[in-house]
Amino acid sequence: MNDPHLLIDIHDGIGWITVNRPVQLNALNAEILHALRAAMESLGANAEVRVVVLTGAGEKAFIAGADIRAMQAMDAEAARAFCRLGHACMSNIAALPKPVIAMVNGFALGGGLETALACDWIVAVEHAQFGLPEVTLGLFPGFGGTQRLRHAVGKARAMELIFTGRRLTAREAHAWGLVNTVVPAAELRNTVLDVARAIMANSPAAIRLAKRALLQGLNMGLSDGLHYEEEQFPKCFERDDCVEGLTAFVEKRRPVFTGK
Ligand code: DAK
């Protein structure tokens, strides 16, 4: 986890992860993907961390994709290993038992958009651009983009972005429902802090269960998803947070959640 290309900082309940390769626009190589996976596992297991924020170093790029130079040297076998590593890393982000916010501070292209799509919430700067330009390179999205983009924006729009490789502005991405909020650069960090604090006021145990139910539901039809929710909901009542939340309401005070 001591990769200089990945910075980790824990502050006031928030685990900040910064992909730190600004000269190459934070392009993802295998080393960074390994480090990102380890960082997610570590912050996921750290009870001090209630929300994770993922961003890129510099003002130009969140992540401009998988490292094109590294891919140039790959044969099909090496590509399979790289693809598996990317999938494992994105799945780690998606399955983290706490919310992950993508603070998109610039280009989110190819593997960069796929990384943002694996997160739960996207706050983007006004000058951010989103796209899956893989087909312009003779590739197609290989870190989950064909699936997660369709879930996020539907088939027609996913086909449009993937077949043309065109970029969306932050405003377009917001209009498509891909991005939660778009803000000027000067407000990006504070907006993310506001989002994180709003989440952290609530029960971590309930959020963990809700996130799992929501994401599991994406793999199911509506009736199976509803059945899953019905199965999972009673688990809230086995958690201290639920007792605290209900009691605090009745006692007309703010709840103090422990996440247990
Ligand atoms: N990889 C490596 N280097 C990159 C890069 C990338 N994705 N993006 C930018 N860079 C480097 C540039 O090469 C340049 O380095 P130098 O030439 O100065 O050494 C430096 O970052 C600054 O970039 P530019 O000079 O190009 O900056 P501009 O402002 O002119 O343009 C740009 C910014 C973001 C529009 C442009 O850099 C660009 O188009 N970048 C590539 C974006 C892209 O195509 N991204 C998708 C990458 S493909 C798979 C697994 C994964 C994937 C696919 C398959 N399997 C194994 C099956 C995923 C693929 C991708 O993500």
Side-chain angles (χ1 to χ4, degrees), residues 10 13-16 42-44 46-52 98 200:
I10 299 174
I14 305 173
W16 297 84
S42 153
L43 295 184
N46 186 336
E48 218 187 291
V49 175
R50 304 265 299 266
V51 170
V52 173
K98 46 192 86 172
M200 290 191 296

Side-chain angles (χ1 to χ4, degrees), residues 21-28 60-61 63-71 74 76 78-84 86-87 107-114 129 131-134 136-137 139-143 167:
R21 212 185 166 210
V23 177
Q24 290 85 15
L25 306 188
N26 304 318
L28 298 173
K60 196 164 168 183
I63 296 168
D67 188 322
I68 295 170
R69 285 193 176 77
M71 285 193 291
M74 288 178 195
R80 187 188 301 277
F82 189 56
C83 186
R84 277 207 186 117
H87 269 262
F107 290 111
L109 301 176
L113 174 51
E114 291 174 296
Q129 293 188 32
L132 292 176
E134 281 87 343
T136 69
L137 300 165
L139 300 168
F140 76 89
F143 288 167
R167 294 186 214 146

Side-chain angles (χ1 to χ4, degrees), residues 21-251:
R21 212 185 166 210
V23 177
Q24 290 85 15
L25 306 188
N26 304 318
L28 298 173
N29 57 25
E31 291 72 29
I32 296 178
L33 287 169
H34 278 295
L36 187 53
R37 215 179 150 187
M40 285 291 165
E41 275 170 11
S42 153
L43 295 184
N46 186 336
E48 218 187 291
V49 175
R50 304 265 299 266
V51 170
V52 173
V53 178
L54 179 60
T55 193
E59 288 171 5
K60 196 164 168 183
F62 171 66
I63 296 168
D67 188 322
I68 295 170
R69 285 193 176 77
M71 285 193 291
Q72 207 186 1
M74 288 178 195
D75 58 14
E77 245 343 276
R80 187 188 301 277
F82 189 56
C83 186
R84 277 207 186 117
L85 173 61
H87 269 262
C89 187
M90 301 307 143
S91 297
N92 268 24
I93 297 173
L96 211 75
K98 46 192 86 172
V100 184
I101 303 169
M103 183 167 97
V104 176
N105 52 315
F107 290 111
L109 301 176
L113 174 51
E114 291 174 296
T115 305
L117 285 166
C119 298
D120 304 315
W121 194 307
I122 302 178
V123 180
V125 73
E126 280 171 338
H127 66 258
Q129 293 188 32
F130 297 81
L132 292 176
E134 281 87 343
V135 295
T136 69
L137 300 165
L139 300 168
F140 76 89
F143 288 167
T146 59
Q147 308 306 308
R148 290 200 177 94
L149 184 65
R150 182 176 58 77
H151 278 151
V153 301
K155 178 188 156 200
R157 285 175 157 167
M159 293 290 193
E160 179 181 334
L161 267 205
I162 291 170
F163 289 178
T164 64
R166 86 172 175 94
R167 294 186 214 146
L168 297 178
T169 63
R171 296 269 170 227
E172 282 176 294
H174 183 252
W176 278 28
L178 187 59
V179 165
N180 295 73
T181 315
V182 179
V183 291
E187 292 170 26
L188 183 63
R189 198 179 167 87
N190 279 340
T191 303
V192 168
L193 276 172
D194 287 346
V195 171
R197 286 181 188 133
I199 294 170
M200 290 191 296
N202 300 320
S203 154
I207 287 173
R208 198 160 54 233
L209 288 165
K211 174 171 173 175
R212 199 169 60 189
L214 207 149
L215 292 180
Q216 288 290 331
L218 290 178
N219 301 322
M220 300 173 183
L222 178 62
S223 58
D224 287 343
L226 290 171
H227 180 67
Y228 185 79
E229 184 188 88
E230 205 179 307
E231 295 272 290
Q232 295 296 310
F233 180 73
K235 293 190 174 168
C236 294
F237 290 80
E238 295 163 0
R239 304 289 190 274
D240 293 352
D241 274 4
C242 178
V243 176
E244 169 62 10
L246 300 176
T247 308
F249 179 84
V250 172
E251 293 178 355

